[in-house]
Amino acid sequence: MSLLVVGSVALDDIESPSGARTGVLGGAACYFALAASYFVPVRAVGVVGDDFPKEHLDFLRARGIDVEGIYTSPGKTFRWGGRYRDSLNVRDTLFTELGVFDGFKPKLGDAHRASDFVFLANIHPALQLDVLGQVRSPMFNAMDTMNFWIEGTPAELKKTLGQVQCLIINDEEARQLTGEHNLVRAAAGIRELGPRIVVIKRGEHGALLFDEEGVFMAPAFPLEEVQDPTGAGDTFAGGFMGSLARERFVGSETLRRAMIFGSTLASFCVEEFGVDRMRTLEMGEIYARYSLFRSLTRF
Ligand code: AMP
């Protein structure tokens, strides 16, 4: 099974109560690909500027990620800066410098067009639809979005939602998209727009899955120390899609296992800054924590 992700590749500046880092590897496509790479071969598609350090691509390659689809354009790599308040629940975006990401026009090669699983990370909904049209006959596709597109391009977003099987979104965005505060009603509203599967991420409160079987809840793993929540959502999506792709089947049981793998990967991501935890994380640790999830909720 091959898994394709299209999205941002970034250099991030991050400040949290635990410290600060500048120019670290980030972007939705990177967090997603790193998490998913524990399960299946991943192909990442994105754009970087000519200032992008080669060592970052080497790291992605070392995790078995195909980076052929990350092309270099003359100019600056997308840069994003965020600062977390003491609670870690509130994040202020300090800056967003699009650089070459502004002209991002994903053009898939032959191998990429044959991908079985596709994840459209947070990019313009018209681009998401264009990418989807380029993939020949994916077995399963899913997308993310953000408040910027919900407010700015609602018609294009609805058109794209009409073509995807799964939306993975955070709670505030689900409310904004549907005008429903209640998440059960919000998920039902999203399902009416197209996706038959809706995953609503709730940060430290876990994630909810809505499908034909009803609702399933995955807790967030209770951690004693969180250093940096950046990328937890994309990492969740990577674990979720990677697990599904490895099982080669999307059904109520595989979806529920995927929710727990998503939560597991996200819980590791926040333990260190940026993608650093993925530099040392081993599959054995993932399985051990996945098993602990059982004891968290069994009674
Ligand atoms: P998250 O913590 O899930 O919101 O993901 C944070 C990552 O998203 C960071 O690595 C950023 O580089 C990236 N990011 C921030 N803003 C955007 C944007 N407007 N479009 C695409 N990626 C973004």
Side-chain angles (χ1 to χ4, degrees), residues 215-227:
V215 56
F216 174 77
M217 195 181 157
F221 192 78
L223 292 168
E224 205 171 306
E225 199 193 334
V226 172
Q227 294 231 352

Side-chain angles (χ1 to χ4, degrees), residues 49-99:
D50 37 29
D51 57 348
F52 192 70
K54 183 181 160 295
E55 72 214 41
H56 292 333
L57 290 176
D58 291 341
F59 168 50
L60 296 173
R61 267 192 215 102
R63 283 259 5 114
I65 298 163
D66 175 345
V67 294
E68 287 304 302
I70 300 180
Y71 65 93
T72 305
S73 262
K76 287 201 167 15
T77 300
F78 174 69
R79 295 193 76 115
W80 174 84
R83 180 190 292 139
Y84 295 88
R85 311 254 178 101
D86 281 342
S87 69
L88 289 172
N89 290 327
V90 185
R91 177 170 81 191
D92 301 313
T93 292
L94 300 177
F95 61 87
T96 302
E97 294 167 5
L98 291 177

Side-chain angles (χ1 to χ4, degrees), residues 6-209:
V6 181
S8 59
V9 178
L11 297 172
D12 290 344
D13 289 2
I14 305 166
E15 288 175 42
S16 89
S18 306
R21 303 283 187 282
T22 49
V24 297
L25 176 62
C30 294
Y31 281 104
F32 179 97
L34 286 165
S37 69
Y38 286 91
F39 301 91
V40 286
V42 184
R43 298 168 176 145
V45 171
V47 62
V48 294
D50 37 29
D51 57 348
F52 192 70
K54 183 181 160 295
E55 72 214 41
H56 292 333
L57 290 176
D58 291 341
F59 168 50
L60 296 173
R61 267 192 215 102
R63 283 259 5 114
I65 298 163
D66 175 345
V67 294
E68 287 304 302
I70 300 180
Y71 65 93
T72 305
S73 262
K76 287 201 167 15
T77 300
F78 174 69
R79 295 193 76 115
W80 174 84
R83 180 190 292 139
Y84 295 88
R85 311 254 178 101
D86 281 342
S87 69
L88 289 172
N89 290 327
V90 185
R91 177 170 81 191
D92 301 313
T93 292
L94 300 177
F95 61 87
T96 302
E97 294 167 5
L98 291 177
V100 294
F101 194 49
D102 200 17
F104 182 41
K105 289 259 172 334
K107 182 126 185 41
L108 305 187
D110 243 16
H112 291 70
R113 283 160 52 94
S115 298
D116 304 299
F117 280 68
V118 179
F119 184 69
L120 306 160
N122 164 35
I123 51 174
H124 192 300
L127 278 186
Q128 291 177 315
L129 195 60
D130 180 68
V131 170
L132 213 48
Q134 293 182 50
V135 185
R136 277 190 212 105
S137 52
M139 185 190 287
F140 187 66
N141 59 42
M143 65 178 274
D144 184 13
T145 193
M146 69 183 292
N147 52 3
F148 187 73
W149 309 118
I150 297 170
E151 283 159 26
T153 57
E156 282 153 303
L157 179 57
K158 288 208 170 122
K159 205 168 153 200
T160 306
L161 282 168
Q163 300 299 316
V164 299
Q165 289 160 284
C166 175
L167 175 67
I168 304 175
I169 190 173
N170 76 33
D171 45 5
E172 279 321 305
E173 291 156 353
R175 292 184 171 115
Q176 197 183 5
L177 179 60
T178 57
E180 288 283 0
H181 185 79
N182 179 294
L183 291 177
V184 179
R185 283 217 289 269
I190 294 169
R191 293 188 72 217
E192 278 173 22
L193 297 172
R196 66 183 178 84
I197 298 158
V198 176
V199 176
I200 300 184
K201 297 170 289 182
R202 303 181 60 223
E204 63 177 340
H205 304 297
L208 295 162
L209 167 82

